[in-house]
Amino acid sequence: MSNSGSCAPVGTGNDSLAQQQPSSLQRSPITITRDDFSSDDSGFYHARSIKKDRHERRIRWAPLNIGLERRLQTFVVLCHTLTIAIFLTMFFFSCAIPLSWPVLIPYLIYISLFSTAATSGSLGGRCNFLRSLRVWRLYASYFPARLQRSEPLPPTRKYIFGYHPHGIISHGAFAAFATEALGFSKLFPGITNTLLTLDSNFRIPFYREYALAMGIASVSRESCENILTKGGTDGEGMGRAITIVIGGARESLDALPHTLRLVLKRRKGFIKLAIRTGADLVPILAFGENDLYEQVRSEDHPIIHKFQMLVKRAMGFTIPLFHARGIFNYDVGLMPYRRPLNIVVGRPIRVTQQKDREKVDDKYIDLLHTMYVQELERLWEQWKDIYAKDRASDIEIVA
């Protein structure tokens, strides 16, 4: 601002009075720096109280005058984060009603013993209307999330999309590949993509119906092979794709903000799957996925880390100790931070099909794995200065 905006005119008698006062009574100017402000996870800065203890931490509450759209975004993300809990609550509430038992008991027997909907590859429960609802655009706008491609993919091939990193809950994978919020069908016309998750999720009453309607399927080998070898435009999987979060539960323990540590060196099962089905490999790098939550660092708490690994070996998944923001505050809760998610789809790696597992050459597997890692590293080098400006380290590939 210019000096013309001062409260007192320049050259008035107040200047002479100030000069006559003893130096002990004169006040020194107060300097306010950027350190006297704090930013919430949406990027806005708020004034912080200047106190003796400048390092005192306080819970920063969200203002009441936030617009309706941002409130709706928060509500949709909250519902998605609690999806399993919501459906389980509905199930147990139904169990409390005796009149529902004649329906619930056969239903539980069916999903536990007989249902193959999650592994058959038929995608019969998929509902494109549900996947295209406007609520998913609100979900994607919360972060916000964006999807971009390196080049078009012809629908005359089939694909295995490898999503990296896992993060805590893989919000980017859901937004990009389980909904139409980011325009997947427009970027890759003619390709029917299926996001894969743990087979155990399809044993959760009511939730399995929701997951199947969203076009999600089991990550089991049987499911992957059926999706990529059945259906499609030629009846053998042409025009189909699956999305696998390669790092899995193990990688979620390394999901720390401003880092990118990928559990990939020994992960070659998806390479063998690509060779058996003739599906091209497409690496995907999600910048910002690891920034959505804070979690307990394994090197600082080795006992907790050992317990998490024990749970993973016993149950197939693990439990990261994480936190982020809340519904009405910016510091405490299980809601993800509002931080950008930029999901970049890499170039396809052409794979030659070899149906006979016994004849698959290990050297060919290693070659494809090397090419896959190189494409991930290329994506990192190309976009890190745009989407990872605050990175604490470069990409790291671990076993």
Side-chain angles (χ1 to χ4, degrees):
M1 296 179 63
S2 62
N3 292 333
S4 59
S6 303
C7 295
V10 178
T12 63
N14 293 336
D15 294 332
S16 59
L17 288 174
Q19 292 174 1
Q20 295 173 6
Q21 291 178 356
S23 59
S24 60
L25 297 179
Q26 294 184 22
R27 295 182 178 180
S28 60
I30 299 176
T31 302
I32 299 178
T33 65
R34 184 169 177 170
D35 293 335
D36 297 320
F37 293 81
S38 62
S39 63
D40 61 19
D41 57 340
S42 61
F44 295 100
Y45 283 87
H46 303 275
R48 179 189 299 164
S49 299
I50 303 173
K51 294 187 176 183
K52 293 181 180 179
D53 185 5
R54 296 171 65 95
H55 300 286
E56 182 182 0
R57 292 181 61 88
R58 285 189 170 186
I59 295 177
R60 295 167 296 157
W61 297 98
L64 297 177
N65 59 346
I66 289 180
L68 176 62
E69 184 171 1
R70 286 176 67 86
R71 293 296 189 192
L72 290 174
Q73 292 169 0
T74 301
F75 177 73
V76 173
V77 172
L78 173 66
C79 290
H80 171 70
T81 305
L82 300 176
T83 300
I84 293 179
I86 291 171
F87 280 104
L88 281 177
T89 301
M90 294 170 58
F91 169 71
F92 287 122
F93 181 78
S94 300
C95 290
I97 305 174
L99 290 176
S100 67
W101 292 355
V103 176
L104 287 179
I105 293 174
Y107 170 73
L108 290 175
I109 295 173
Y110 171 72
I111 68 173
S112 301
L113 301 176
F114 302 107
S115 176
T116 59
T119 59
S120 65
S122 64
L123 306 183
R126 187 185 183 100
C127 178
N128 289 326
F129 172 76
L130 180 61
R131 290 167 54 91
S132 303
L133 289 177
R134 184 178 179 273
V135 295
W136 304 125
R137 291 197 291 274
L138 290 171
Y139 173 84
S141 299
Y142 172 91
F143 301 100
R146 301 178 183 86
L147 177 67
Q148 64 185 71
R149 67 185 186 188
S150 296
E151 61 181 59
L153 300 179
T156 53
R157 300 286 295 173
K158 42 190 167 182
Y159 303 94
I160 296 178
F161 291 95
Y163 185 89
H164 307 270
H166 183 284
I168 299 295
I169 303 182
S170 300
H171 285 287
F174 180 83
F177 305 112
T179 77
E180 284 296 327
L182 304 185
F184 179 89
S185 61
K186 294 180 180 180
L187 288 174
F188 305 102
I191 297 176
T192 301
N193 184 48
T194 302
L195 179 63
L196 305 183
T197 187
L198 293 175
D199 187 68
S200 58
N201 287 334
F202 296 94
R203 299 292 180 263
I204 301 176
F206 296 179
Y207 173 77
R208 72 182 290 277
E209 318 305 330
Y210 165 77
L212 291 171
M214 293 300 297
I216 301 174
S218 168
V219 75
S220 66
R221 186 175 70 181
E222 176 188 7
S223 173
C224 295
E225 291 183 349
N226 285 338
I227 293 173
L228 294 174
T229 57
K230 298 179 180 179
T233 55
D234 63 348
E236 296 183 357
M238 181 184 293
R240 283 192 168 187
I242 58 175
T243 299
I244 305 175
V245 184
I246 305 295
R250 171 65 184 84
E251 193 173 84
S252 67
L253 299 180
D254 293 326
L256 300 172
H258 312 305
T259 66
L260 188 60
R261 201 163 188 255
L262 306 182
V263 178
L264 186 57
K265 276 187 178 179
R266 298 178 184 174
R267 300 285 170 116
K268 298 182 180 180
F270 71 103
I271 304 288
K272 298 175 183 178
L273 174 67
I275 296 174
R276 289 197 303 271
T277 60
D280 295 344
L281 294 164
V282 184
I284 299 170
L285 205 53
F287 292 86
E289 184 71 62
N290 282 349
D291 299 339
L292 301 181
Y293 294 93
E294 299 278 356
Q295 74 162 309
V296 173
R297 296 177 181 266
S298 57
E299 61 269 20
D300 296 336
H301 301 274
I303 296 178
I304 294 177
H305 181 69
K306 289 180 181 179
F307 174 75
Q308 290 171 324
M309 294 304 296
L310 180 63
V311 172
K312 179 187 177 299
R313 286 192 292 268
M315 307 185 68
F317 63 90
T318 188
I319 307 172
L321 297 181
F322 64 92
H323 75 90
R325 57 164 292 174
I327 304 173
F328 302 111
N329 73 83
Y330 298 121
D331 299 290
V332 181
L334 301 181
M335 290 281 292
Y337 291 122
R338 283 182 179 266
R339 294 173 180 171
L341 263 174
N342 293 284
I343 304 157
V344 185
V345 180
R347 299 168 182 166
I349 300 169
R350 190 68 175 255
V351 176
T352 302
Q353 185 174 10
Q354 299 178 26
K355 294 184 178 181
D356 191 345
R357 299 177 184 175
E358 303 298 329
K359 295 183 180 180
V360 176
D361 188 1
D362 289 340
K363 292 183 179 179
Y364 186 51
I365 295 174
D366 292 338
L367 173 63
L368 290 175
H369 188 272
T370 300
M371 294 172 65
Y372 185 91
V373 172
Q374 288 175 346
E375 177 62 12
L376 278 175
E377 291 173 340
R378 185 194 69 81
L379 290 175
W380 171 257
E381 293 298 328
Q382 181 178 356
W383 297 103
K384 66 180 182 181
D385 291 331
I386 300 175
Y387 297 144
K389 294 179 180 180
D390 297 330
R391 61 187 180 278
S393 61
D394 278 331
I395 187 173
E396 183 180 359
I397 310 295
V398 299

